[in-house]
Structure formats: structure tokens, C-alpha cells
Amino acid sequence: MDTKKILSAAVALTVSAGSFSAFTGTAADAEPQLLDVSGFTIHDENFVHLSKGTYLRDVSYLFDDQDKVPASADDLKVSSEVWAATSRDNWTPNQQMEYGPAAFYMDLGANYVITAIAFLDTNGTPTWTVSDGEPFDWHDIAEVNMDTYNSWRAVRFDKPEATRYLHFSSDYCDSGVSELAIYGYKASELSAEQRAKTAPVAKNGGAADNGPAAGKRVGFNAFIDDPMTAMMSAGVIREYHNFSWLIDADCQVRFTQGTWGDMDSYYSALHDRGISVIPCFQGGSTAVSGGEKANEIPVPAGADTLDPKSYAVHAQAMYQVAARYGSNKDVDLETISITDAQEVKTGLGLLTALENSNEPNKSWAGKANYFTPYELAAMCSADYDGHEGTIPNAGVHAADPDFKLAMGGLVGYSTMIQYLDEMKLWFDYNRSDGRFAVDIINVHIGPDGDDIENGSYAKTLAELSGWIAENAPGTELWVSEFEVPMSDCTVEGVDNHDNEDYQLRYAQRVARVYLRALAEPTLSYITKFQLRDEGEGVYYDSGLVTQKGKWDKKLAWYYLACMTDRLESADLVSMQDDGGRFTYTFADGGDIIKCVYTAGDAAKADISAEGRRFAYLTVPEEGLAEGRTEALAVKDGKVTVGLSGTPVYLTFTDNPQVLVNGSSSLLRPKEISLTADKSGEVCDFSAAPKDGTLAAFYRMFDEPDTMPDPVYGNTSGLKAPETSVSKSGATAYAFFDKPCIFNGFAVYDTYGTGGISVYDAHTDKLLWSSDLGSYMSRSVTLTDDSAMTDCLKIVKDGGDMNELAFYGYVSPFRDWDADRDGVVDSFDMVLIRQSVIAGGGYTVSDLVGVSRFLLGMAAR
């Protein structure tokens, strides 16, 4: 038999039968024969170190010479030619006994009477145990000590009973056996009850909830101390959050960690920016496991790791997170168990999902940190719904039925499918509902070359989606970590950060990985490892920004920011491959967005405008988070575009758009004064004013080069401002030569605390405030777009600071003077309203803004 035809143990094993004659009859024949195992499902249970290219041997080695086994258990002799050709490669799935004995099971797919089993005993003296019955309720039927050498031996059963399953285990890493032969006959097909036991249980009618719009499904891994100006490019963030931070020494849940980790504030800030966040509660806690170092499997010392109740503390903590941050406002307050320092809150609506571990099947950190599939399934069952409600106040669904549980992201695709198979087996036989007790299957995968769209990465996505459709329909898929191979772009002696070609290729490949994932029907999210570089080592340049404390944006950061902006409310319709030119088509209301690029040489292409009148091209650009947009002429229903490896976005619409490139630019006032009507001294920044109070406000703007431009601009190369402002209890007005829309504010904070606030001077609406609570650093706040205004009111309370900066963009309209009579009045508001109704150049924001403007003027 050609062993290359044997499927790896990473998938359900189907062994080719070869040319021997094997029995396929039923109980009516009742004559034991050598069974054809080609239709059986065979799984290694201990495959922690099995992967392609290792010296270890999976269970397929026990069935790779089935055409050379004895035809009968009563006569174990084979010819010398057959014996010489028979493999002596033992089944050796593991070489570290801390991970448990070598074991595998067989699902025979029907009920068979097993009359004998023959072993090719090669070397060593391990003891094998053979069992029948059902998973997790095995009945031992034989124990065999492999104490012979290079010979066939058999165990025979006098009064065998029909079974669907067989289980084999060896008490040593090297099983000492290189081939098995199984004899018996089929007693019956599976009963309806047996088939139902392992049948998939659909969620949501079998259709996966693919989550929000495309732009909200792509993002990266981040930490609670990453700045918002770095995180703002994401549609979704996977937050690394140590489980030990979540509970105290008494296993009580806490939502703040000293002065640095306020979960309420962090999740609220991301929610307000329209960024969803999925916390990854990784690792364990000594409060649970004891000892000096926490085991990642969060159970008490000596507990049964296959019993969901052993994970009660973990599952009850997950309940508290879902109760606080989910959307259920009717949580029973008697079930809230948090530290006394925490304010009780429920149904905040800030999270929709959480992840219960990170890389639970990692093979490099010892057994205490490696979950077998059965162990992870047991913990997931507890974290999902308290193992069907048997653990009180435990599991996310018990707190909020709409909250979702994501399992920890699996690594190592070669065994990933098998891992999921065995998790399902645990759920089948340990939950009365048979539900795959995970809402989101989570994996860490990425491309292994530049063929991102059709290579191994795409095939892996398709295989995972296929597994979900067949085994856990309605479950979602999340690629929570990926990286892209870049070794072909490195230049010896050149830091990759300084290699422009490297950074361009990196940005292009990262964008392509995101896009290809969006085309997978079961995928809900994809997040890159990670936002920031590590300072050194293997992850030195793996981020979208440079290391912590610098945060300089790479080109890839801008590619992602452009993607999330363009696809913010768009849904994927199709992906098309035209000989290496890839087109992802999205629907956004009545508009069509096409993301287009070529994996080959740069070329021009004619792209259909899909019957729309107007076309706009958006290209990612360093320095512009939303990219640069220009209008294109539609001719004969098409536009002509130059394509390269950079994904660009074509928006086709029947409504003309007002273009704004650079919507978060530094906006410096033209003048400042202590009076709104400029009746007092006016400073135009050509020189310091004479008035001491006005001079204090002048110093807020006298070093603009010390503040980032745009608001998310790099700061690592900026010098610190020198002129300080300690004035308190003062108000000034900042005037701009054109109406502006503001969406960001920054202050260089120095000592102490105090306050500074900025208002729209026309409406007295608060736009931003700060308590000046940071120290010797730039504090940047992003806000929603303000109404258009040409004057801001600044109120300075106590505290020291240096520079103040405003961000936004000049209004794309000259002003709200719609009839161009030189005055903005109620007639202009009527004209603007008519324009909004007709789909003209003005927007609802303009209508709201001019209304507020006129109300503010009337009040003054």
C-alpha cells in the first residue's frame, strides 16, 4: 500500500483497503472476517506534537499495510515475502508522557461484533488496553502486554457484543506496534438514536451570523494601554487580557486594575468610536490553581480537567463579564458577585463576545498549559452556559442569551480539524443537547506565500467553513491572529522599518489577507497579530505601528484604516478572480463599492460603473487615514483605473459626494481674543499680546510643531513644548478664517490636575474637556464631527499645561450662506433643507449645524 495515500491523523482517517479481501457483510453471515477499515473514522487522541514533517508517527501507521496482515486471527502466519515487505514503523504519536498515554478511537460507522484483534508486536513491552462501548464511558475488553518481538499476536473474544466504537491505548510513548488487524462482522446499522447522538446541532437555524458590516469585521490584537490614535484604524479589536487581572486573590471579579486598567472606560471609549472589542481572557490564576505560577488550565490542583464543574470559577467570571458588558438589562442582581470596590452595573451594551483562552493547544509550554480537545470542550461547556445550568451563575449565555463565546484561538492547522472533531465528540456525549457549546470557532492561520487568494490560506479557510457547515452549522469563524510571510522582501543589512519596498509589500499583503477572509461565508472577524511591534525578537516588526511608546504608523496601518473607512457600512456581495485581477464587490445602501487590485504587473483596467452616474476612487495613502479620494469620469458606463498590488476602492453612486481629504488635520486659529465680539485686544499670533491673560492663551498655540498633524500623526520625532500655561479661571475665544468641523483635541499636559474645556462659541455646546490628569505627555481625544463653526470658546481652569491643538477639517462648503447673500439666516436653512431632501450637496449634518448656529446667534 502506498502510505502517501494515507490521510494524516490531522483529519478523520480513512485508510485505503488495498487489494486484500475484507468482510463487508452483516450479522446474517455471522462469519468473522478481516474487516475493511477504509470506512472507519480513526482518530489519534494524543496528538499534541503531531504535525507535518515531524519524526513522530500518527495512527495511520497502524493501518498502512492492511494488505499484508493475516487473513484470519486463527492463522497469524504470512509468507516470507509479505513479512519482508511489511513496515516496522511503530505508532509513536508522542514522546512526552506528561501529555498522557498514546491513545486512539475508531468510529466503525455501524454496530460490529469484534471477534479478534491482531497486533504486529515489534519491540518494547508496553501494555495496551482495548475497550468498546461509548466515548467517555469505555468498557475494557482486553489488556495486552507487548512482550514478543517482531511477530504477530492476537487477542480473541469469546462472547463479544456489538459496538460502534473501539478504543485503544498504550501506556508508553512508543506503542511497540506497527500494524493492527481487526476481525469480526457487522451486526446492524446504527439506530436512529445512535445517529442522533452525533448528528450536528444547528444554531440560528444553521446560518452563521456574520456580524456587522465588512469594515467592522477587520482589525487587530491590542492592549488596554495602546493609544486611541493607534487603535482608531480598527473595526474590531481583540484585547489581550490576562485572566489573573480579572479576579483577585479570593476569586472575586474586578473590573479595574489599580490605576492603569479601567475596563469600563476602555470598552466605552472603543464603543464610542464605533470599534467593537472582544477581550481574550488568557492564562490562569494562582487564586484558582494555587502554587507560585498559574497553570493556564484554570482548575484547582488535582481537579478532574474533564469535568466542567472544575472550571466553575472561570465560568462564573465569564458570567460576570457578560452580565456587566452584554445587552441584557434584566440580569438578576443577586447573581452579581464582584469585589466591594466595584459599582454594580449590568447590561452596558459594550461587548457582544469574549474569548476564553489563547492558543489552548500550544505544545511548547508543558501539559499544565496545554488543553486536550476534551479539556477545552469541558471548559467551553462551563463558560457557555454553566454546562447546561449545572454550575450556578456561570457561563455567558446564562447572563445574556445573545452574548457569544469564542473559544481560544487554535494554532497548528495540521491538527486543527482533528482538534475540532474531538471537541465535538465531547459535546456529543457529555451534553444532553449535543450542542457544540461555542458560538465562534477561533483559529490562528495565515498565508505561507504570496498566493493569498488561492493558496493554502484560502484552502484552509474553505476547509474550516466546510467543517462548520457539516458539524456545527450556525457557528461563526474568527481568524484572531495572522501574520504574512515577508522573507522574500528583506534586504541584508537594512532594517525592515527603513525598507520602503518591504513596507509596501507588507501593507499590500496584509490588506489582501483581510479581504480574502471577508469572502468566506462563515467568517465574522479577522484580527491581525498585532497592532504594535515588540521591541526585539521574532515580533520585532510584526505590528502595524512601531513598538510601545513610539507608535509610529506603518504603511500597513494606513491600508487598514482606509479599508475600515471605505467599508464601514458595506457588505460583501462577491469576489471575482479575472486571471490575477481581483475584484471584491460590496453593497453600501444603494451604492456599489469595488475593491480592485492585481497580483501581477501593474496595468490599466476598465471597470463597470454598474449603471451609476458618479464614480470616486479612493487610494490608501500614508498620512491620510481615510485615504485620498478623487472623482472619476464615467464614460460608456465604465471608468478606467490604473491597478497594482495595492487594493483601491471604487465607489459608484447616483448621488454626488463632497470630497474631504485629510479630515483630522491640525487646525490653527487665525486669531484669539478674550471677548467674543473682539472688542478687547486681538492676537493674530504675529507677536505675543500685551494682556497677561491673553498671553497665557497665546502660549497654548505658540509651538504648533510640537503637536501631531494630523491628530493620529507620528509623535516619536516631535520635541516637547517649552512654554507653559498655569492660568486658571480664564476664558478666551479662538477665531478661524473659515468655518471648520472639529473632531479631535489634544493637550500637552505637564503637572497636577485641573481642567480645560472647549465649546462651540456660537451654541455654547461642549466639544471637549480634559482634567489635565496625565503627566508630561500629549493627551489626544477623538470626537464625533462637530457642527460647522468658525469660533471656539476656551475655558481654562486649574492645572499646568503647554500646548493645545484642534483637529478637523475646513468645511467642504464655503459656508452655510446658501443664497450667497453674505448673511447666514433662516432662508439659508430653508434652502439647505430643500437640498437635503433633493439629495443635493448639503447633508443632514449641515441642516443640524445651521440650525444650531442660528439658535446660538439668537441667544447672543
Side-chain angles (χ1 to χ4, degrees):
M1 178 179 293
D2 184 356
T3 57
K4 292 181 180 179
K5 294 181 180 179
I6 305 295
L7 293 181
S8 165
V11 296
L13 178 67
T14 302
V15 184
S16 301
S19 59
F20 68 96
S21 176
F23 179 73
T24 57
T26 65
D29 304 294
E31 184 67 31
Q33 299 283 344
L34 173 64
L35 296 181
D36 178 357
V37 299
S38 63
F40 300 164
T41 297
I42 308 174
H43 272 310
D44 271 297
E45 287 188 306
N46 189 334
F47 53 89
V48 55
H49 293 114
L50 284 176
S51 63
K52 294 178 181 178
T54 69
Y55 64 90
L56 299 173
R57 303 187 187 104
D58 59 51
V59 72
S60 68
Y61 281 83
L62 291 176
F63 301 96
D64 61 349
D65 273 339
Q66 289 289 287
D67 56 346
K68 301 179 182 66
V69 304
S72 169
D74 295 326
D75 183 4
L76 298 177
K77 294 179 181 180
V78 296
S79 70
S80 58
E81 293 82 3
V82 169
W83 177 254
T86 303
S87 169
R88 305 295 195 278
D89 291 333
N90 293 350
W91 170 51
T92 312
N94 177 44
Q95 286 287 8
Q96 298 183 41
M97 284 303 295
E98 69 168 315
Y99 290 91
F104 72 91
Y105 70 88
M106 304 177 70
D107 182 350
L108 309 181
N111 296 305
Y112 280 80
V113 173
I114 305 301
T115 58
I117 300 172
F119 305 80
L120 180 49
D121 185 350
T122 58
N123 59 272
T125 59
T127 298
W128 279 55
T129 301
V130 183
S131 310
D132 65 7
E134 288 188 339
F136 313 101
D137 189 21
W138 297 117
H139 169 238
D140 294 346
I141 57 176
E143 188 173 279
V144 186
N145 182 257
M146 301 301 167
D147 55 1
T148 62
Y149 177 72
N150 272 352
S151 61
W152 281 103
R153 63 187 302 163
V155 57
R156 300 168 184 83
F157 308 105
D158 294 333
K159 297 180 180 180
E161 296 183 0
T163 184
R164 173 181 177 177
Y165 292 98
L166 288 175
H167 186 270
F168 299 81
S169 64
S170 167
D171 65 357
Y172 190 65
C173 297
D174 187 335
S175 70
V177 174
S178 64
E179 196 74 18
L180 287 184
I182 301 174
Y183 307 89
Y185 56 88
K186 183 189 288 185
S188 67
E189 299 295 343
L190 297 180
S191 67
E193 182 180 1
Q194 286 177 304
R195 290 194 300 271
K197 191 69 176 175
T198 54
V201 177
K203 306 184 188 81
N204 306 316
D209 175 7
N210 285 345
K216 299 295 186 181
R217 293 162 56 192
V218 296
F220 42 72
N221 297 195
F223 296 87
I224 197 169
D225 59 348
D226 290 331
M228 184 61 72
T229 50
M231 295 189 293
M232 62 176 282
S233 64
V236 58
I237 282 174
R238 177 184 186 234
E239 179 222 355
Y240 288 121
H241 197 119
N242 291 347
F243 180 62
S244 60
W245 298 345
L246 185 64
I247 61 173
D248 65 10
D250 297 319
C251 295
Q252 291 287 100
V253 172
R254 55 188 178 187
F255 297 108
T256 60
Q257 287 76 45
T259 60
W260 60 268
D262 186 334
M263 295 166 66
D264 288 6
S265 297
Y266 179 63
Y267 298 151
S268 293
L270 289 169
H271 181 270
D272 291 347
R273 291 295 305 168
I275 301 171
S276 60
V277 57
I278 303 176
C280 169
F281 294 108
Q282 61 181 359
S285 168
T286 55
V288 177
S289 62
E292 296 182 359
K293 185 178 181 180
N295 297 330
E296 293 203 20
I297 299 180
V299 299
D304 180 1
T305 55
L306 296 183
D307 183 353
K309 293 181 181 179
S310 298
Y311 301 92
V313 172
H314 194 269
Q316 287 164 345
M318 301 302 102
Y319 176 97
Q320 297 300 322
V321 173
R324 188 179 188 89
Y325 297 117
S327 58
N328 182 14
K329 296 185 179 298
D330 297 322
V331 176
D332 183 355
L333 297 184
E334 294 296 319
T335 68
I336 302 303
S337 178
I338 58 179
T339 63
D340 293 339
Q342 313 292 304
E343 179 184 354
V344 173
K345 300 177 183 178
T346 61
L348 294 177
L350 300 178
L351 299 179
T352 60
L354 63 79
E355 181 184 357
N356 66 354
S357 58
N358 181 37
E359 298 185 342
N361 64 330
K362 54 180 168 288
S363 61
W364 55 86
K367 177 59 189 78
N369 303 306
Y370 169 81
F371 288 80
T372 68
Y374 303 147
E375 289 169 335
L376 184 61
M379 185 175 78
C380 285
S381 190
D383 291 343
Y384 184 77
D385 60 2
H387 191 52
E388 300 186 275
T390 60
I391 307 171
N393 307 327
V396 299
H397 280 258
D400 180 353
D402 295 325
F403 206 90
K404 295 178 181 179
L405 174 68
M407 59 182 274
L410 299 179
V411 295
Y413 180 71
S414 64
T415 56
M416 202 173 280
I417 293 293
Q418 179 165 347
Y419 199 100
L420 294 172
D421 277 337
E422 297 190 12
M423 286 186 69
K424 181 180 183 299
L425 187 75
W426 190 96
F427 292 133
D428 287 342
Y429 284 93
N430 287 280
R431 287 182 61 95
S432 63
D433 60 5
R435 183 182 295 272
F436 194 91
V438 166
D439 298 296
I440 305 172
I441 289 174
N442 180 7
V443 297
H444 295 174
I445 60 173
D448 58 7
D450 193 34
D451 188 8
I452 293 167
E453 292 74 19
N454 297 305
S456 64
Y457 171 64
K459 292 175 182 176
T460 299
L461 287 171
E463 288 172 4
L464 288 166
S465 288
W467 188 93
I468 289 172
E470 183 176 348
N471 296 279
T475 306
E476 301 169 33
L477 177 63
W478 177 19
V479 178
S480 64
E481 287 189 20
F482 76 86
E483 188 52 286
V484 294
M486 292 297 299
S487 59
D488 60 319
C489 299
T490 59
V491 176
E492 187 175 355
V494 178
D495 189 308
N496 293 332
H497 295 93
D498 302 324
N499 184 338
E500 291 186 4
D501 181 67
Y502 181 102
Q503 292 302 325
L504 173 61
R505 302 287 184 185
Y506 184 66
Q508 292 172 340
R509 292 176 185 179
V510 166
R512 289 165 58 193
V513 170
Y514 282 127
L515 289 165
R516 183 59 186 84
L518 289 175
E520 203 56 45
T522 61
L523 185 129
S524 292
Y525 299 104
I526 174 169
T527 47
K528 187 187 179 302
F529 178 86
Q530 60 183 348
L531 171 59
R532 69 196 193 200
D533 288 344
E534 297 295 335
E536 58 186 5
V538 67
Y539 304 124
Y540 168 69
D541 54 7
S542 63
L544 301 175
V545 303
T546 56
Q547 68 191 68
K548 179 179 178 178
K550 291 188 176 180
W551 317 109
D552 289 346
K553 279 76 178 172
K554 301 180 185 180
L555 188 60
W557 186 92
Y558 288 98
Y559 274 49
L560 173 60
C562 182
M563 181 184 295
T564 56
D565 181 78
R566 284 291 81 200
L567 304 180
E568 181 180 14
S569 55
D571 296 309
L572 183 73
V573 175
S574 66
M575 170 194 171
Q576 185 173 350
D577 179 359
D578 295 314
R581 188 184 84 191
F582 296 95
T583 303
Y584 294 83
T585 301
F586 300 86
D588 189 356
D591 297 343
I592 296 293
I593 300 174
K594 293 184 179 182
C595 179
V596 192
Y597 61 92
T598 176
D601 296 332
K604 287 190 175 181
D606 292 329
I607 310 294
S608 171
E610 304 296 336
R612 298 334 193 254
R613 297 165 52 205
F614 302 100
Y616 300 91
L617 171 67
T618 302
V619 180
E621 181 177 315
E622 189 168 9
L624 292 177
E626 66 272 30
R628 184 172 297 278
T629 300
E630 62 176 301
L632 298 180
V634 178
K635 296 181 180 179
D636 300 324
K638 299 178 181 180
V639 296
T640 301
V641 183
L643 299 179
S644 68
T646 294
V648 299
Y649 302 85
L650 290 160
T651 301
F652 301 108
T653 178
D654 285 327
N655 300 311
Q657 296 184 356
V658 178
L659 302 184
V660 176
N661 289 312
S663 61
S664 298
S665 300
L666 181 65
L667 297 173
R668 195 172 186 227
K670 180 181 180 181
E671 299 170 326
I672 55 173
S673 176
L674 298 180
T675 56
D677 59 2
K678 300 184 183 180
S679 58
E681 183 180 3
V682 176
C683 173
D684 64 1
F685 298 103
S686 60
K690 297 178 181 179
D691 185 278
T693 299
L694 188 59
F697 286 97
Y698 167 82
R699 291 195 297 276
M700 294 182 185
F701 302 100
D702 65 342
E703 299 175 277
D705 292 342
T706 63
M707 302 301 281
D709 185 16
V711 68
Y712 45 79
N714 296 336
T715 60
S716 63
L718 299 181
K719 67 176 184 179
E722 298 177 355
T723 57
S724 64
V725 179
S726 58
K727 191 72 176 180
S728 62
T731 299
Y733 295 85
F735 302 93
F736 299 81
D737 55 358
K738 295 180 180 179
C740 299
I741 294 172
F742 296 91
N743 52 32
F745 301 86
V747 60
Y748 196 100
D749 198 357
T750 54
Y751 306 100
T753 58
I756 185 168
S757 302
V758 176
Y759 300 81
D760 182 335
H762 295 298
T763 64
D764 216 32
K765 177 180 175 61
L766 177 66
L767 303 182
W768 167 80
S769 64
S770 170
D771 65 0
L772 301 179
S774 57
Y775 173 72
M776 300 304 292
S777 63
R778 297 173 184 85
S779 179
V780 180
T781 303
L782 306 176
T783 65
D784 293 333
D785 280 5
S786 72
M788 185 165 51
T789 184
D790 59 1
C791 185
L792 298 177
K793 182 175 74 172
I794 308 166
V795 178
K796 175 65 171 60
D797 295 319
D800 285 10
M801 56 167 285
N802 290 121
E803 201 73 8
L804 179 64
F806 308 131
Y807 297 92
Y809 55 98
V810 175
S811 172
F813 303 105
R814 182 180 300 275
D815 51 37
W816 285 317
D817 183 12
D819 60 0
R820 298 296 184 264
D821 66 352
V823 177
V824 177
D825 54 23
S826 58
F827 187 63
D828 293 305
M829 186 170 68
V830 171
L831 295 178
I832 291 172
R833 182 175 182 276
Q834 292 174 347
S835 173
V836 171
I837 294 173
Y842 285 101
T843 66
V844 172
S845 295
D846 294 312
L847 184 59
V848 172
V850 73
S851 299
R852 291 176 175 172
F853 178 81
L854 292 174
L855 286 172
M857 293 296 291
R860 290 171 59 193

